[in-house]
Amino acid sequence: MSIWQAIILAIVEGLTEFLPVSSTGHMIIASSLMGINELPITKIFEVNIQFGAILSVVVLYWRRFLQGLDFYKKLLLAFIPAAVLGFALNDIIDAMLESVLITATMLLLGGVVLLFVDKWFSNADKDKVNYKNALVIGFFQCIAMIPGVSRSAASIIGGLTQGVNRKTAAEFSFFLAVPTMLAAAGYKLVKDLLQLEISDLIRFDLVKIQNSFEVITAEDLKLLLIGNFVAFIVAMLAIRFFINFLTKYGFKLFGYYRIALGIVLLALLAMGVDLRV
């Protein structure tokens, strides 16, 4: 992977991680078009640069993360469903991630849903998330375990079903992304990419830990640092854009975009283009 390919992937991650468009679908297209979808470093890179995107939320909303214990109780409550189901269904989720057909189909169907969300929840006007709302949002977030279903869209719609307005639901979705993405990316990095078990870390098995990092070269490390920095900057800009756009115009344009992207992916599959990740 070249520096420019790393930068392009990081831009894609930063732009799409917090928008209701599915970063998975975009990663599939970007890595496949650049011919790097089967490189070992690509999988490591795609997981690792999520940490840069996560940091953007913490930096943009740092004052919110200094709130009282009530804020963290709601985040924990919303995080629990994904933590439990993600661990229990890990093998099934990994199998679905191999299917571009599932990703493309869910992009298309999710786009259709977004066309009608603003109309369905036009009366959602609450500007605070309570404990019940947080739990419901957490369960909605679990739908995004299906590739092609946007985590952001699922959790925001979960908030809307509880009467929470679009801006507040979107911001809570960003906050919830921090523990969710940290857990998912950290677990995948340790277990699937570094070939370590959690028990190895608990025992602090230095031999296994050292051997696991031998798969990452100095050049790879440089790409990871660049990628995280780019993803961090781009994600901050994307979040600011999304909040302003969503407040003024709603979800419909994102719906049309998802439908178009889903159709493109399905068409490429029908033509026999290799889109494996």
Side-chain angles (χ1 to χ4, degrees), residues 65-97:
F65 284 91
L66 295 179
Q67 293 180 9
L69 191 59
D70 184 66
F71 173 78
Y72 289 97
K73 286 181 179 178
K74 291 174 183 176
L75 280 188
L76 176 61
L77 190 61
F79 168 69
I80 287 175
V84 174
L85 289 178
F87 184 78
L89 303 177
N90 182 64
D91 292 340
I92 297 176
I93 295 170
D94 283 346
M96 287 193 295
L97 284 171

PDB file of all heavy atoms in Angstrom, residues 65-97:
ATOM      1  N   PHE A  65     -17.811  15.206  27.386  1.00  0.00           N
ATOM      2  CA  PHE A  65     -17.202  14.049  28.035  1.00  0.00           C
ATOM      3  C   PHE A  65     -16.689  14.373  29.433  1.00  0.00           C
ATOM      4  O   PHE A  65     -16.208  13.491  30.138  1.00  0.00           O
ATOM      5  CB  PHE A  65     -16.065  13.491  27.170  1.00  0.00           C
ATOM      6  CG  PHE A  65     -16.548  12.714  25.978  1.00  0.00           C
ATOM      7  CD1 PHE A  65     -16.762  13.346  24.757  1.00  0.00           C
ATOM      8  CD2 PHE A  65     -16.818  11.360  26.077  1.00  0.00           C
ATOM      9  CE1 PHE A  65     -17.222  12.634  23.661  1.00  0.00           C
ATOM     10  CE2 PHE A  65     -17.278  10.635  24.996  1.00  0.00           C
ATOM     11  CZ  PHE A  65     -17.482  11.279  23.770  1.00  0.00           C
ATOM     12  N   LEU A  66     -16.778  15.634  29.829  1.00  0.00           N
ATOM     13  CA  LEU A  66     -16.423  16.031  31.191  1.00  0.00           C
ATOM     14  C   LEU A  66     -17.661  16.232  32.053  1.00  0.00           C
ATOM     15  O   LEU A  66     -17.583  16.759  33.158  1.00  0.00           O
ATOM     16  CB  LEU A  66     -15.598  17.333  31.163  1.00  0.00           C
ATOM     17  CG  LEU A  66     -14.232  17.246  30.491  1.00  0.00           C
ATOM     18  CD1 LEU A  66     -13.547  18.607  30.511  1.00  0.00           C
ATOM     19  CD2 LEU A  66     -13.355  16.194  31.160  1.00  0.00           C
ATOM     20  N   GLN A  67     -18.822  15.805  31.512  1.00  0.00           N
ATOM     21  CA  GLN A  67     -20.055  15.891  32.282  1.00  0.00           C
ATOM     22  C   GLN A  67     -20.038  14.884  33.427  1.00  0.00           C
ATOM     23  O   GLN A  67     -19.122  14.083  33.572  1.00  0.00           O
ATOM     24  CB  GLN A  67     -21.260  15.633  31.374  1.00  0.00           C
ATOM     25  CG  GLN A  67     -21.475  16.714  30.327  1.00  0.00           C
ATOM     26  CD  GLN A  67     -22.666  16.417  29.453  1.00  0.00           C
ATOM     27  OE1 GLN A  67     -23.439  15.502  29.715  1.00  0.00           O
ATOM     28  NE2 GLN A  67     -22.827  17.191  28.397  1.00  0.00           N
ATOM     29  N   GLY A  68     -21.105  14.920  34.193  1.00  0.00           N
ATOM     30  CA  GLY A  68     -21.196  14.047  35.357  1.00  0.00           C
ATOM     31  C   GLY A  68     -21.378  12.588  35.003  1.00  0.00           C
ATOM     32  O   GLY A  68     -21.408  12.188  33.832  1.00  0.00           O
ATOM     33  N   LEU A  69     -21.532  11.786  36.014  1.00  0.00           N
ATOM     34  CA  LEU A  69     -21.637  10.330  35.880  1.00  0.00           C
ATOM     35  C   LEU A  69     -22.866   9.919  35.077  1.00  0.00           C
ATOM     36  O   LEU A  69     -22.874   8.872  34.431  1.00  0.00           O
ATOM     37  CB  LEU A  69     -21.678   9.702  37.282  1.00  0.00           C
ATOM     38  CG  LEU A  69     -21.524   8.181  37.365  1.00  0.00           C
ATOM     39  CD1 LEU A  69     -20.204   7.736  36.760  1.00  0.00           C
ATOM     40  CD2 LEU A  69     -21.642   7.728  38.824  1.00  0.00           C
ATOM     41  N   ASP A  70     -23.898  10.740  35.108  1.00  0.00           N
ATOM     42  CA  ASP A  70     -25.142  10.427  34.399  1.00  0.00           C
ATOM     43  C   ASP A  70     -24.882  10.227  32.902  1.00  0.00           C
ATOM     44  O   ASP A  70     -25.456   9.329  32.271  1.00  0.00           O
ATOM     45  CB  ASP A  70     -26.152  11.556  34.612  1.00  0.00           C
ATOM     46  CG  ASP A  70     -27.501  11.256  33.987  1.00  0.00           C
ATOM     47  OD1 ASP A  70     -28.173  10.325  34.458  1.00  0.00           O
ATOM     48  OD2 ASP A  70     -27.879  11.949  33.022  1.00  0.00           O
ATOM     49  N   PHE A  71     -24.015  11.034  32.329  1.00  0.00           N
ATOM     50  CA  PHE A  71     -23.667  10.938  30.908  1.00  0.00           C
ATOM     51  C   PHE A  71     -23.083   9.565  30.586  1.00  0.00           C
ATOM     52  O   PHE A  71     -23.470   8.920  29.599  1.00  0.00           O
ATOM     53  CB  PHE A  71     -22.665  12.048  30.570  1.00  0.00           C
ATOM     54  CG  PHE A  71     -22.090  11.970  29.184  1.00  0.00           C
ATOM     55  CD1 PHE A  71     -22.817  12.399  28.082  1.00  0.00           C
ATOM     56  CD2 PHE A  71     -20.802  11.478  28.969  1.00  0.00           C
ATOM     57  CE1 PHE A  71     -22.273  12.339  26.800  1.00  0.00           C
ATOM     58  CE2 PHE A  71     -20.257  11.415  27.702  1.00  0.00           C
ATOM     59  CZ  PHE A  71     -20.999  11.844  26.615  1.00  0.00           C
ATOM     60  N   TYR A  72     -22.187   9.091  31.411  1.00  0.00           N
ATOM     61  CA  TYR A  72     -21.520   7.809  31.174  1.00  0.00           C
ATOM     62  C   TYR A  72     -22.430   6.618  31.477  1.00  0.00           C
ATOM     63  O   TYR A  72     -22.296   5.560  30.852  1.00  0.00           O
ATOM     64  CB  TYR A  72     -20.230   7.736  31.996  1.00  0.00           C
ATOM     65  CG  TYR A  72     -19.160   8.660  31.467  1.00  0.00           C
ATOM     66  CD1 TYR A  72     -18.967   9.916  32.025  1.00  0.00           C
ATOM     67  CD2 TYR A  72     -18.377   8.298  30.381  1.00  0.00           C
ATOM     68  CE1 TYR A  72     -18.007  10.786  31.522  1.00  0.00           C
ATOM     69  CE2 TYR A  72     -17.421   9.156  29.867  1.00  0.00           C
ATOM     70  CZ  TYR A  72     -17.234  10.392  30.441  1.00  0.00           C
ATOM     71  OH  TYR A  72     -16.289  11.248  29.926  1.00  0.00           O
ATOM     72  N   LYS A  73     -23.351   6.794  32.405  1.00  0.00           N
ATOM     73  CA  LYS A  73     -24.320   5.724  32.671  1.00  0.00           C
ATOM     74  C   LYS A  73     -25.192   5.476  31.445  1.00  0.00           C
ATOM     75  O   LYS A  73     -25.480   4.325  31.090  1.00  0.00           O
ATOM     76  CB  LYS A  73     -25.191   6.093  33.876  1.00  0.00           C
ATOM     77  CG  LYS A  73     -24.510   5.989  35.226  1.00  0.00           C
ATOM     78  CD  LYS A  73     -25.481   6.358  36.331  1.00  0.00           C
ATOM     79  CE  LYS A  73     -24.837   6.236  37.712  1.00  0.00           C
ATOM     80  NZ  LYS A  73     -25.758   6.648  38.803  1.00  0.00           N
ATOM     81  N   LYS A  74     -25.610   6.556  30.791  1.00  0.00           N
ATOM     82  CA  LYS A  74     -26.436   6.417  29.583  1.00  0.00           C
ATOM     83  C   LYS A  74     -25.638   5.778  28.449  1.00  0.00           C
ATOM     84  O   LYS A  74     -26.153   4.926  27.715  1.00  0.00           O
ATOM     85  CB  LYS A  74     -26.968   7.786  29.156  1.00  0.00           C
ATOM     86  CG  LYS A  74     -27.999   8.367  30.104  1.00  0.00           C
ATOM     87  CD  LYS A  74     -28.386   9.781  29.706  1.00  0.00           C
ATOM     88  CE  LYS A  74     -29.374  10.370  30.708  1.00  0.00           C
ATOM     89  NZ  LYS A  74     -29.711  11.783  30.409  1.00  0.00           N
ATOM     90  N   LEU A  75     -24.377   6.191  28.301  1.00  0.00           N
ATOM     91  CA  LEU A  75     -23.536   5.588  27.270  1.00  0.00           C
ATOM     92  C   LEU A  75     -23.331   4.095  27.526  1.00  0.00           C
ATOM     93  O   LEU A  75     -23.386   3.281  26.604  1.00  0.00           O
ATOM     94  CB  LEU A  75     -22.177   6.287  27.204  1.00  0.00           C
ATOM     95  CG  LEU A  75     -22.080   7.616  26.465  1.00  0.00           C
ATOM     96  CD1 LEU A  75     -20.623   8.039  26.342  1.00  0.00           C
ATOM     97  CD2 LEU A  75     -22.711   7.516  25.084  1.00  0.00           C
ATOM     98  N   LEU A  76     -23.089   3.735  28.777  1.00  0.00           N
ATOM     99  CA  LEU A  76     -22.882   2.329  29.130  1.00  0.00           C
ATOM    100  C   LEU A  76     -24.138   1.522  28.843  1.00  0.00           C
ATOM    101  O   LEU A  76     -24.068   0.425  28.278  1.00  0.00           O
ATOM    102  CB  LEU A  76     -22.500   2.201  30.606  1.00  0.00           C
ATOM    103  CG  LEU A  76     -22.336   0.777  31.136  1.00  0.00           C
ATOM    104  CD1 LEU A  76     -21.216   0.059  30.387  1.00  0.00           C
ATOM    105  CD2 LEU A  76     -22.053   0.783  32.635  1.00  0.00           C
ATOM    106  N   LEU A  77     -25.289   2.068  29.207  1.00  0.00           N
ATOM    107  CA  LEU A  77     -26.549   1.373  28.978  1.00  0.00           C
ATOM    108  C   LEU A  77     -26.781   1.152  27.490  1.00  0.00           C
ATOM    109  O   LEU A  77     -27.230   0.077  27.067  1.00  0.00           O
ATOM    110  CB  LEU A  77     -27.701   2.186  29.584  1.00  0.00           C
ATOM    111  CG  LEU A  77     -29.070   1.510  29.662  1.00  0.00           C
ATOM    112  CD1 LEU A  77     -29.006   0.268  30.536  1.00  0.00           C
ATOM    113  CD2 LEU A  77     -30.109   2.488  30.209  1.00  0.00           C
ATOM    114  N   ALA A  78     -26.465   2.160  26.679  1.00  0.00           N
ATOM    115  CA  ALA A  78     -26.651   2.047  25.235  1.00  0.00           C
ATOM    116  C   ALA A  78     -25.619   1.111  24.597  1.00  0.00           C
ATOM    117  O   ALA A  78     -25.884   0.489  23.564  1.00  0.00           O
ATOM    118  CB  ALA A  78     -26.564   3.434  24.598  1.00  0.00           C
ATOM    119  N   PHE A  79     -24.458   1.013  25.217  1.00  0.00           N
ATOM    120  CA  PHE A  79     -23.368   0.190  24.680  1.00  0.00           C
ATOM    121  C   PHE A  79     -23.566  -1.298  24.947  1.00  0.00           C
ATOM    122  O   PHE A  79     -23.144  -2.142  24.145  1.00  0.00           O
ATOM    123  CB  PHE A  79     -22.048   0.657  25.298  1.00  0.00           C
ATOM    124  CG  PHE A  79     -20.884  -0.272  25.056  1.00  0.00           C
ATOM    125  CD1 PHE A  79     -20.354  -0.423  23.782  1.00  0.00           C
ATOM    126  CD2 PHE A  79     -20.320  -0.986  26.099  1.00  0.00           C
ATOM    127  CE1 PHE A  79     -19.276  -1.280  23.559  1.00  0.00           C
ATOM    128  CE2 PHE A  79     -19.249  -1.836  25.890  1.00  0.00           C
ATOM    129  CZ  PHE A  79     -18.731  -1.983  24.611  1.00  0.00           C
ATOM    130  N   ILE A  80     -24.216  -1.651  26.048  1.00  0.00           N
ATOM    131  CA  ILE A  80     -24.338  -3.051  26.479  1.00  0.00           C
ATOM    132  C   ILE A  80     -24.940  -3.967  25.411  1.00  0.00           C
ATOM    133  O   ILE A  80     -24.408  -5.068  25.168  1.00  0.00           O
ATOM    134  CB  ILE A  80     -25.136  -3.134  27.792  1.00  0.00           C
ATOM    135  CG1 ILE A  80     -24.269  -2.618  28.948  1.00  0.00           C
ATOM    136  CG2 ILE A  80     -25.576  -4.573  28.076  1.00  0.00           C
ATOM    137  CD1 ILE A  80     -25.002  -2.534  30.279  1.00  0.00           C
ATOM    138  N   PRO A  81     -26.054  -3.605  24.728  1.00  0.00           N
ATOM    139  CA  PRO A  81     -26.603  -4.527  23.718  1.00  0.00           C
ATOM    140  C   PRO A  81     -25.601  -4.908  22.643  1.00  0.00           C
ATOM    141  O   PRO A  81     -25.483  -6.084  22.287  1.00  0.00           O
ATOM    142  CB  PRO A  81     -27.783  -3.730  23.140  1.00  0.00           C
ATOM    143  CG  PRO A  81     -28.203  -2.818  24.238  1.00  0.00           C
ATOM    144  CD  PRO A  81     -26.925  -2.415  24.915  1.00  0.00           C
ATOM    145  N   ALA A  82     -24.856  -3.933  22.120  1.00  0.00           N
ATOM    146  CA  ALA A  82     -23.876  -4.225  21.071  1.00  0.00           C
ATOM    147  C   ALA A  82     -22.729  -5.060  21.610  1.00  0.00           C
ATOM    148  O   ALA A  82     -22.204  -5.940  20.913  1.00  0.00           O
ATOM    149  CB  ALA A  82     -23.349  -2.925  20.469  1.00  0.00           C
ATOM    150  N   ALA A  83     -22.324  -4.806  22.870  1.00  0.00           N
ATOM    151  CA  ALA A  83     -21.221  -5.567  23.465  1.00  0.00           C
ATOM    152  C   ALA A  83     -21.599  -7.035  23.609  1.00  0.00           C
ATOM    153  O   ALA A  83     -20.815  -7.927  23.276  1.00  0.00           O
ATOM    154  CB  ALA A  83     -20.858  -4.978  24.828  1.00  0.00           C
ATOM    155  N   VAL A  84     -22.817  -7.290  24.079  1.00  0.00           N
ATOM    156  CA  VAL A  84     -23.266  -8.667  24.305  1.00  0.00           C
ATOM    157  C   VAL A  84     -23.502  -9.389  22.978  1.00  0.00           C
ATOM    158  O   VAL A  84     -22.984 -10.483  22.744  1.00  0.00           O
ATOM    159  CB  VAL A  84     -24.552  -8.681  25.155  1.00  0.00           C
ATOM    160  CG1 VAL A  84     -25.107 -10.103  25.258  1.00  0.00           C
ATOM    161  CG2 VAL A  84     -24.277  -8.121  26.550  1.00  0.00           C
ATOM    162  N   LEU A  85     -24.271  -8.768  22.089  1.00  0.00           N
ATOM    163  CA  LEU A  85     -24.596  -9.411  20.820  1.00  0.00           C
ATOM    164  C   LEU A  85     -23.366  -9.519  19.916  1.00  0.00           C
ATOM    165  O   LEU A  85     -23.195 -10.508  19.206  1.00  0.00           O
ATOM    166  CB  LEU A  85     -25.704  -8.631  20.105  1.00  0.00           C
ATOM    167  CG  LEU A  85     -27.098  -8.731  20.725  1.00  0.00           C
ATOM    168  CD1 LEU A  85     -28.088  -7.868  19.960  1.00  0.00           C
ATOM    169  CD2 LEU A  85     -27.583 -10.175  20.747  1.00  0.00           C
ATOM    170  N   GLY A  86     -22.520  -8.493  19.944  1.00  0.00           N
ATOM    171  CA  GLY A  86     -21.316  -8.524  19.113  1.00  0.00           C
ATOM    172  C   GLY A  86     -20.405  -9.673  19.482  1.00  0.00           C
ATOM    173  O   GLY A  86     -19.840 -10.344  18.616  1.00  0.00           O
ATOM    174  N   PHE A  87     -20.239  -9.911  20.777  1.00  0.00           N
ATOM    175  CA  PHE A  87     -19.394 -11.015  21.236  1.00  0.00           C
ATOM    176  C   PHE A  87     -20.038 -12.364  20.917  1.00  0.00           C
ATOM    177  O   PHE A  87     -19.366 -13.291  20.460  1.00  0.00           O
ATOM    178  CB  PHE A  87     -19.157 -10.898  22.742  1.00  0.00           C
ATOM    179  CG  PHE A  87     -18.225 -11.936  23.297  1.00  0.00           C
ATOM    180  CD1 PHE A  87     -16.851 -11.814  23.143  1.00  0.00           C
ATOM    181  CD2 PHE A  87     -18.718 -13.055  23.963  1.00  0.00           C
ATOM    182  CE1 PHE A  87     -15.982 -12.778  23.646  1.00  0.00           C
ATOM    183  CE2 PHE A  87     -17.866 -14.026  24.459  1.00  0.00           C
ATOM    184  CZ  PHE A  87     -16.493 -13.887  24.302  1.00  0.00           C
ATOM    185  N   ALA A  88     -21.356 -12.462  21.135  1.00  0.00           N
ATOM    186  CA  ALA A  88     -22.052 -13.731  20.929  1.00  0.00           C
ATOM    187  C   ALA A  88     -22.144 -14.102  19.453  1.00  0.00           C
ATOM    188  O   ALA A  88     -22.105 -15.279  19.089  1.00  0.00           O
ATOM    189  CB  ALA A  88     -23.448 -13.662  21.539  1.00  0.00           C
ATOM    190  N   LEU A  89     -22.285 -13.089  18.588  1.00  0.00           N
ATOM    191  CA  LEU A  89     -22.506 -13.341  17.163  1.00  0.00           C
ATOM    192  C   LEU A  89     -21.273 -13.030  16.311  1.00  0.00           C
ATOM    193  O   LEU A  89     -21.392 -12.835  15.104  1.00  0.00           O
ATOM    194  CB  LEU A  89     -23.692 -12.507  16.667  1.00  0.00           C
ATOM    195  CG  LEU A  89     -25.017 -12.713  17.390  1.00  0.00           C
ATOM    196  CD1 LEU A  89     -26.070 -11.755  16.841  1.00  0.00           C
ATOM    197  CD2 LEU A  89     -25.497 -14.159  17.260  1.00  0.00           C
ATOM    198  N   ASN A  90     -20.111 -13.005  16.923  1.00  0.00           N
ATOM    199  CA  ASN A  90     -18.891 -12.587  16.228  1.00  0.00           C
ATOM    200  C   ASN A  90     -18.635 -13.386  14.954  1.00  0.00           C
ATOM    201  O   ASN A  90     -18.311 -12.819  13.911  1.00  0.00           O
ATOM    202  CB  ASN A  90     -17.687 -12.716  17.165  1.00  0.00           C
ATOM    203  CG  ASN A  90     -16.396 -12.260  16.506  1.00  0.00           C
ATOM    204  OD1 ASN A  90     -16.240 -11.098  16.156  1.00  0.00           O
ATOM    205  ND2 ASN A  90     -15.465 -13.194  16.316  1.00  0.00           N
ATOM    206  N   ASP A  91     -18.758 -14.700  15.012  1.00  0.00           N
ATOM    207  CA  ASP A  91     -18.481 -15.536  13.839  1.00  0.00           C
ATOM    208  C   ASP A  91     -19.485 -15.270  12.714  1.00  0.00           C
ATOM    209  O   ASP A  91     -19.129 -15.243  11.531  1.00  0.00           O
ATOM    210  CB  ASP A  91     -18.514 -17.019  14.222  1.00  0.00           C
ATOM    211  CG  ASP A  91     -17.353 -17.400  15.135  1.00  0.00           C
ATOM    212  OD1 ASP A  91     -16.349 -16.661  15.153  1.00  0.00           O
ATOM    213  OD2 ASP A  91     -17.457 -18.429  15.839  1.00  0.00           O
ATOM    214  N   ILE A  92     -20.760 -15.086  13.089  1.00  0.00           N
ATOM    215  CA  ILE A  92     -21.798 -14.809  12.084  1.00  0.00           C
ATOM    216  C   ILE A  92     -21.550 -13.458  11.426  1.00  0.00           C
ATOM    217  O   ILE A  92     -21.672 -13.303  10.204  1.00  0.00           O
ATOM    218  CB  ILE A  92     -23.199 -14.840  12.735  1.00  0.00           C
ATOM    219  CG1 ILE A  92     -23.503 -16.236  13.278  1.00  0.00           C
ATOM    220  CG2 ILE A  92     -24.272 -14.395  11.739  1.00  0.00           C
ATOM    221  CD1 ILE A  92     -24.810 -16.336  14.027  1.00  0.00           C
ATOM    222  N   ILE A  93     -21.177 -12.468  12.231  1.00  0.00           N
ATOM    223  CA  ILE A  93     -20.899 -11.127  11.711  1.00  0.00           C
ATOM    224  C   ILE A  93     -19.718 -11.169  10.750  1.00  0.00           C
ATOM    225  O   ILE A  93     -19.750 -10.564   9.668  1.00  0.00           O
ATOM    226  CB  ILE A  93     -20.627 -10.145  12.866  1.00  0.00           C
ATOM    227  CG1 ILE A  93     -21.885  -9.979  13.727  1.00  0.00           C
ATOM    228  CG2 ILE A  93     -20.175  -8.790  12.323  1.00  0.00           C
ATOM    229  CD1 ILE A  93     -21.653  -9.227  15.013  1.00  0.00           C
ATOM    230  N   ASP A  94     -18.653 -11.884  11.136  1.00  0.00           N
ATOM    231  CA  ASP A  94     -17.483 -12.002  10.265  1.00  0.00           C
ATOM    232  C   ASP A  94     -17.839 -12.649   8.935  1.00  0.00           C
ATOM    233  O   ASP A  94     -17.321 -12.265   7.876  1.00  0.00           O
ATOM    234  CB  ASP A  94     -16.385 -12.814  10.959  1.00  0.00           C
ATOM    235  CG  ASP A  94     -15.647 -12.002  12.015  1.00  0.00           C
ATOM    236  OD1 ASP A  94     -15.801 -10.769  12.024  1.00  0.00           O
ATOM    237  OD2 ASP A  94     -14.922 -12.608  12.833  1.00  0.00           O
ATOM    238  N   ALA A  95     -18.720 -13.654   8.984  1.00  0.00           N
ATOM    239  CA  ALA A  95     -19.146 -14.330   7.757  1.00  0.00           C
ATOM    240  C   ALA A  95     -19.922 -13.370   6.852  1.00  0.00           C
ATOM    241  O   ALA A  95     -19.725 -13.361   5.629  1.00  0.00           O
ATOM    242  CB  ALA A  95     -20.000 -15.543   8.095  1.00  0.00           C
ATOM    243  N   MET A  96     -20.782 -12.542   7.445  1.00  0.00           N
ATOM    244  CA  MET A  96     -21.558 -11.587   6.651  1.00  0.00           C
ATOM    245  C   MET A  96     -20.664 -10.521   6.033  1.00  0.00           C
ATOM    246  O   MET A  96     -20.932 -10.019   4.938  1.00  0.00           O
ATOM    247  CB  MET A  96     -22.638 -10.932   7.516  1.00  0.00           C
ATOM    248  CG  MET A  96     -23.803 -11.845   7.857  1.00  0.00           C
ATOM    249  SD  MET A  96     -25.226 -10.946   8.548  1.00  0.00           S
ATOM    250  CE  MET A  96     -24.521 -10.330  10.091  1.00  0.00           C
ATOM    251  N   LEU A  97     -19.590 -10.166   6.730  1.00  0.00           N
ATOM    252  CA  LEU A  97     -18.673  -9.153   6.216  1.00  0.00           C
ATOM    253  C   LEU A  97     -17.992  -9.593   4.928  1.00  0.00           C
ATOM    254  O   LEU A  97     -17.502  -8.760   4.164  1.00  0.00           O
ATOM    255  CB  LEU A  97     -17.615  -8.813   7.277  1.00  0.00           C
ATOM    256  CG  LEU A  97     -18.083  -7.929   8.431  1.00  0.00           C
ATOM    257  CD1 LEU A  97     -17.012  -7.849   9.500  1.00  0.00           C
ATOM    258  CD2 LEU A  97     -18.455  -6.535   7.947  1.00  0.00           C
TER     259      LEU A  97
END
